[in-house]
Amino acid sequence: MLNPVVFDAVRLAFHSMSMRTSSSPTRAVRGLVLVTLMTLAMTACSGTGRLTETSTEKAADRHATVAGTVMIRDNWERSANDAAYLVVGKGVDDTIDALDVEGTTYHGAVVLRITVESSTGFGDGPATKCYRYMFRHEMGDENPDNVSCTNHVVTLTQPTPEPEFDPAAEAKFASVLRRLVADHTTDAGTVDQQVRATFGPPVMVQTGPAGLDHGTNNGTLFIRLDVPSHGECMWAFITTAGHITTGTGNRRDCPN
């Protein structure tokens, strides 16, 4: 079926060429315009130059944005392999394959091929589109660029499960801090070093002065521990008087 926009353009061109005025183009120019418009019309009819996407193509774009959001979830650095592993496979109405993985979610790239099955009620057939995600640890990393598809599907390695805090972790954390307070070595550098040595990777440690938003006095030290992709964190405050406050909670609700 001829696209309505193209049809209107062709009709307008025929109407314009039929008018006899002193400023009308020559017959040769009119013929060239006609050939150009007819070529455009046939291209639109063949589907190679559509002005709009099908419902399944639009669905693929939506799936691509969701996949990008999942891959960089929690804002933790993970390998591109592990990020792609979170989204590949067959879903309810789509299939996602990884065509390329490189680097990490802080500096790397992933190429996904997304195939969406026929959209019920719209009559559109399956659609396959490919997307490249450039990870720079910046806003908008979840939004990909459209790229040409290939048949080269990479085999992803299953990520190593990340450890979680054990039930005794908070007690161990508090014990380290009490020892440092007793030794009068509660400067940020020493605390950070000792906490890291106690827990080791992949636990992430943040140490620094507590901000006013924590409701503490100046000089209070703040320490926070996280395991990447884990839902909980541990945190502590050490006042200049040596008073220690510790706690655990949901990572999104923990002090920063």
Side-chain angles (χ1 to χ4, degrees):
M1 179 179 179
L2 184 62
N3 187 288
V5 175
V6 178
F7 178 83
D8 288 342
V10 173
R11 183 177 60 181
L12 179 60
F14 273 114
H15 177 70
S16 299
M17 288 187 292
S18 66
M19 298 178 65
R20 303 286 183 169
T21 67
S22 58
S23 61
S24 296
T26 63
R27 182 172 300 175
V29 174
R30 291 200 301 268
L32 179 60
V33 172
L34 176 60
V35 170
T36 301
L37 288 172
M38 292 303 294
T39 301
L40 176 62
M42 287 185 291
T43 300
C45 288
S46 66
T48 59
R50 290 193 314 271
L51 300 181
T52 59
E53 289 189 313
T54 66
S55 61
T56 43
E57 288 172 329
K58 292 178 181 178
D61 291 341
R62 293 193 296 271
H63 284 278
T65 300
V66 172
T69 302
V70 171
M71 287 192 289
I72 62 172
R73 69 182 187 185
D74 299 327
N75 200 31
W76 292 117
E77 184 175 18
R78 54 174 56 89
S79 71
N81 173 95
D82 291 2
Y85 195 89
L86 294 172
V87 298
V88 297
K90 185 169 180 58
V92 176
D93 65 342
D94 71 339
T95 301
I96 301 179
D97 297 302
L99 305 186
D100 189 31
V101 292
E102 178 183 346
T104 72
T105 52
Y106 280 12
H107 184 73
V110 167
V111 178
L112 298 180
R113 183 178 66 195
I114 301 179
T115 299
V116 177
E117 304 301 327
S118 179
S119 297
T120 303
F122 290 94
D124 293 328
T128 298
K129 299 184 70 174
C130 291
Y131 306 86
R132 177 182 294 276
Y133 302 81
M134 298 300 299
F135 298 132
R136 305 179 183 89
H137 195 212
E138 298 175 352
M139 294 286 292
D141 278 0
E142 72 278 10
N143 299 318
D145 296 319
N146 287 277
V147 295
S148 299
C149 291
T150 69
N151 292 322
H152 177 68
V153 176
V154 298
T155 301
L156 301 178
T157 304
Q158 183 173 0
T160 301
E162 296 174 332
E164 300 179 356
F165 290 124
D166 61 66
E170 187 177 3
K172 182 166 62 173
F173 182 34
S175 176
V176 172
L177 300 182
R178 285 196 298 269
R179 174 172 56 81
L180 293 172
V181 168
D183 293 341
H184 302 288
T185 53
T186 55
D187 59 281
T190 301
V191 172
D192 188 88
Q193 181 184 43
Q194 291 299 310
V195 171
R196 290 178 187 275
T198 300
F199 288 92
V203 172
M204 299 182 67
V205 181
Q206 301 177 48
T207 306
L212 295 177
D213 55 331
H214 294 147
T216 61
N217 297 322
N218 290 336
T220 296
L221 185 67
F222 171 65
I223 311 100
R224 171 172 164 165
L225 285 72
D226 294 271
V227 174
S229 302
H230 184 48
E232 293 184 343
C233 77
M234 294 192 299
W235 51 268
F237 293 109
I238 305 177
T239 68
T240 53
H243 179 70
I244 301 172
T245 302
T246 63
T248 61
N250 184 285
R251 195 175 66 79
R252 290 179 175 81
D253 298 328
C254 276
N256 289 306

